[in-house]
């Protein structure tokens, strides 16, 4: 594994002035000095903490306010803090879904001179939730299935980039809503390694570990008294969610996606249309083919193998058309609505102009109709997706098309107003 360059040290004093602390960071922010580094993390005062839901961790982890943003602070050893910081920096440069590393804090001491653990600081991922918080909101087998599908997609993306996780679990993942699905992000890279390419054995070990961990996490989740009460509220019991069936789903989803993205395909010379068909299937899955090998042999067979596939096909296309930065399923849903919008009102108009008109006539009016204090409940693309879904639902119920303006008002009143604030939840 290639070493990542160390961030530049600040080495500035804590607010008490009695001790010095070293803060190594690629994003120098003096507000980091306002945190009480001379106090053990589990004893930090409430006024500096952000009461966000936390996943299960072997380390002490807290969310804290730093200036205008929120960060996650994890106590660990200096070696592992620096190592994980380097891995997360490399994943960030590769565009892999993961949290953003902020800094490494070392040379921490109490006011009495006792040494304290080092700390890894990462930016809080806005609008993200741990799996327990999501399942508590909507306790159902379908929720767990969507979560493990998102986790399987994340593992595939990590493996394609050469990252061996070594501790795959729902607890080491955060999730964002993505047009009725979820997008998964790696949180804990402590046990990871980055290689030029993973062997089949490394991939299989990672995914089998995922199978075991996910089954155990779901069993633990269902055993909680509070969770059993939540299930009863919606007419379910713990027996309605099978941990082993869910973990098997994770493995099969991973295997099917990996096969589609990487498998070699053979066909006759007169079936060259299958090249474009394969590319279109990958695009539908949300991947672009950056590089492929195409070879013919003496028998007249052509062999096609994608060698480099890049996730984010729909989100990149939508970003190009509209400037909206979204998750993949959100982009897919919005692109569909842009297409339908153009066919109904502006047939024959170029796609880029149709997209700009859609932004002006659909996206902007929807967001302007949502009260400002409610826009922090969900990401803007997720709000637009839910409004479009709500418009379809109430139109079907009414037996006629309901104007978007009326659908937004009904959505805000009947759904959004009662939702928790997921930008700064809890």
């Amino acid at each position: 594994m290639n070493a990542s360059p160390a961030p530049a040290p600040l080495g500035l004093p804590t607010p008490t002035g009695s001790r010095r602390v070293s803060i190594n960071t690629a994003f120098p922010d003096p507000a980091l000095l306002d945190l009480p580094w001379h106090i053990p993390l589990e004893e930090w005062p409430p006024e500096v903490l952000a009461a966000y839901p936390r996943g299960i961790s072997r380390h002490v982890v807290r969310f804290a306010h730093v200036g205008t943003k929120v960060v996650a602070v994890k106590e660990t050893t200096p070696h592992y803090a620096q190592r994980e910081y380097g891995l997360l920096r490399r994943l960030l440069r590769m565009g892999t879904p993961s949290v953003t590393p902020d800094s490494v804090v070392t040379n921490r001491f109490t006011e009495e001179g006792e040494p304290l653990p080092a700390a890894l600081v990462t930016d809080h991922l806005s609008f993200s939730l741990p799996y327990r918080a999501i399942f508590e909101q909507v306790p159902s087998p379908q929720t767990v299935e969507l979560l493990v599908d998102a986790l399987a997609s994340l593992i595939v993306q990590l493996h394609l980039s050469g990252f061996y996780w070594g501790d795959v679990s729902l607890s080491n993942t955060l999730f964002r809503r993505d047009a009725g699905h979820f997008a998964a992000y790696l949180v804990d890279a402590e046990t990871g390694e980055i290689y030029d390419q993973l062997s089949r054995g490394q991939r299989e070990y990672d995914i089998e570990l995922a199978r075991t961990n996910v089954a155990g996490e779901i069993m633990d989740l269902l055993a909680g008294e509070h969770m059993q009460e939540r299930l009863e509220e919606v007419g379910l019991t713990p027996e309605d969610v099978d941990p082993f069936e869910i973990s098997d789903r994770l493995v099969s989803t991973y295997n099917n996606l990996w096969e589609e993205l990487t498998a070699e395909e053979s066909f006759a010379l007169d079936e060259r249309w299958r090249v474009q068909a394969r590319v279109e299937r990958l695009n539908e899955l949300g991947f672009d083919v950056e590089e492929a090998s195409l070879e013919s042999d003496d028998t007249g067979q052509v062999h096609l193998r994608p060698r480099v596939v890049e996730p984010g096909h729909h989100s990149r296309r939508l970003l190009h058309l509209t400037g909206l930065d979204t998750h993949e399923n959100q982009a897919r849903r919005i692109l569909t609505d842009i297409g339908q919008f153009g066919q109904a009102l502006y047939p024959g108009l170029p796609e880029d102009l149709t997209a700009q008109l859609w932004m002006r006539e659909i996206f902007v009016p929807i967001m302007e109709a949502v009260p400002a204090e409610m826009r922090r409940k969900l990401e803007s693309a997720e709000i637009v997706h839910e409004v479009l879904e709500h418009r379809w639902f109430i139109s079907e119920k009414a037996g006629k098309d309901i104007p978007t303006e009326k659908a937004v008002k009904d959505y805000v009143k009947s759904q959004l107003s009662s939702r928790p604030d997921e930008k700064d939840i809890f």
Side-chain angles (χ1 to χ4, degrees):
M1 182 182 71
N2 297 326
S4 177
L10 290 182
L12 297 174
T14 65
T16 65
S18 61
R19 294 290 168 187
R20 297 181 65 84
V21 65
S22 295
I23 301 178
N24 296 343
T25 177
F27 311 99
D29 184 353
L32 282 168
L33 300 172
D34 295 333
L35 296 178
W37 298 113
H38 60 291
I39 300 175
L41 185 56
E42 60 185 353
E43 298 176 12
W44 276 17
E47 56 265 26
V48 304
L49 298 179
Y52 288 3
R54 300 192 302 268
I56 296 175
S57 173
R58 67 175 69 89
H59 302 282
V60 178
V61 178
R62 296 291 185 270
F63 292 106
H65 295 282
V66 173
T68 59
K69 68 179 182 180
V70 173
V71 297
V73 183
K74 178 174 76 172
E75 285 188 333
T76 181
T77 67
H79 169 76
Y80 281 112
Q82 185 60 61
R83 182 179 180 279
E84 186 170 3
Y85 180 94
L87 283 171
L88 289 172
R89 289 277 290 162
R90 293 182 66 188
L91 290 174
L92 181 66
R93 289 194 292 270
M94 291 188 292
T96 306
S98 56
V99 294
T100 300
D102 183 283
S103 54
V104 174
V105 183
T106 55
N107 295 325
R108 295 177 60 206
F109 295 89
T110 67
E111 291 185 332
E112 291 75 29
E114 294 296 322
L116 291 172
L120 172 68
V121 182
T122 56
D123 290 347
H124 170 63
L125 189 63
S126 296
F127 296 103
S128 67
L129 292 168
Y131 76 100
R132 287 174 174 267
I134 293 173
F135 188 75
E136 183 169 331
Q137 288 182 15
V138 187
S140 72
Q142 291 72 33
T143 298
V144 183
E145 290 173 358
L146 291 173
L147 290 172
V148 299
D149 286 351
L151 178 57
S153 179
L154 173 63
I155 300 170
V156 167
Q157 292 181 57
L158 291 169
H159 285 178
L160 286 171
S161 66
F163 182 80
Y164 168 75
W165 198 338
D167 193 16
V168 185
S169 68
L170 291 167
S171 297
N172 288 337
T173 312
L174 284 174
F175 298 89
R176 281 173 160 173
R177 299 189 188 279
D178 184 14
H181 298 265
F182 293 102
Y185 291 76
L186 178 143
V187 177
D188 193 327
E190 183 176 305
T191 58
E193 295 277 359
I194 296 179
Y195 300 89
D196 291 336
Q197 183 177 340
L198 295 187
S199 68
R200 180 173 179 176
Q202 287 172 315
R203 292 193 304 103
E204 289 179 348
Y205 184 85
D206 236 7
I207 198 64
E208 282 304 313
L209 182 62
R211 184 204 298 267
T212 302
N213 285 346
V214 167
E217 287 171 315
I218 295 174
M219 284 190 286
D220 181 63
L221 178 68
L222 298 174
E225 183 176 342
H226 176 67
M227 192 57 64
Q228 293 180 20
E229 293 174 356
R230 286 289 293 122
L231 288 168
E232 289 177 6
E233 290 174 7
V234 296
L236 296 173
T237 67
E239 287 71 30
D240 293 315
V241 182
D242 187 332
F244 298 102
E245 184 177 302
I246 294 296
S247 63
D248 286 344
R249 178 190 177 98
L250 170 71
V251 176
S252 63
T253 300
Y254 169 90
N255 287 335
N256 291 339
L257 183 54
W258 183 268
E259 179 73 11
E260 184 62 52
L261 294 177
T262 65
E264 180 178 295
E265 185 174 355
S266 300
F267 47 87
L269 278 172
D270 60 356
E271 295 181 306
R272 284 174 286 186
W273 56 268
R274 291 176 61 177
V275 175
Q276 184 59 31
R278 178 71 175 275
V279 172
E280 290 175 356
R281 290 203 309 274
L282 293 177
N283 290 167
E284 183 61 26
L285 289 170
F287 290 80
D288 284 320
V289 179
E290 297 293 323
E291 185 178 308
S293 63
L294 193 63
E295 301 175 357
S296 60
D297 61 24
D298 295 337
T299 67
Q301 289 288 104
V302 176
H303 305 279
L304 168 66
R305 178 187 289 274
R307 292 197 300 194
V308 181
V309 290
E310 183 74 17
H313 169 77
H314 297 94
S315 56
R316 278 193 296 273
R317 182 177 161 214
L318 183 66
L319 181 64
H320 173 74
L321 289 171
T322 66
L324 293 175
D325 188 7
T326 66
H327 304 304
E328 189 65 11
N329 286 304
Q330 291 169 346
R332 190 196 311 266
R333 177 66 181 88
I334 290 174
L335 286 168
T336 297
D337 198 71
I338 290 174
Q340 294 172 344
F341 170 83
Q343 291 174 5
L345 300 178
Y346 304 100
L349 196 69
E351 185 182 45
D352 58 340
L353 295 180
T354 301
Q356 294 305 312
L357 288 170
W358 181 90
M359 287 290 293
R360 188 183 71 186
E361 298 180 26
I362 302 296
F363 183 89
V364 172
I366 286 177
M367 294 311 300
E368 288 180 342
V370 175
E373 66 275 12
M374 293 190 186
R375 294 174 194 165
R376 297 172 65 85
K377 290 178 175 287
L378 296 169
E379 293 177 281
S380 58
E382 191 68 16
I383 289 177
V384 171
H385 156 71
E386 292 196 356
V387 167
L388 297 176
E389 291 293 295
H390 188 69
R391 183 184 64 184
W392 176 86
F393 175 78
I394 62 176
S395 295
E396 184 181 52
K397 187 176 180 180
K400 61 179 181 180
D401 286 337
I402 300 298
T404 301
E405 181 182 0
K406 185 175 180 180
V408 176
K409 291 180 179 179
D410 188 75
Y411 165 77
V412 169
K413 180 180 179 181
S414 65
Q415 296 189 37
L416 191 61
S417 60
S418 61
R419 298 280 285 273
D421 186 338
E422 292 191 1
K423 183 173 179 62
D424 296 311
I425 192 166
F426 300 162

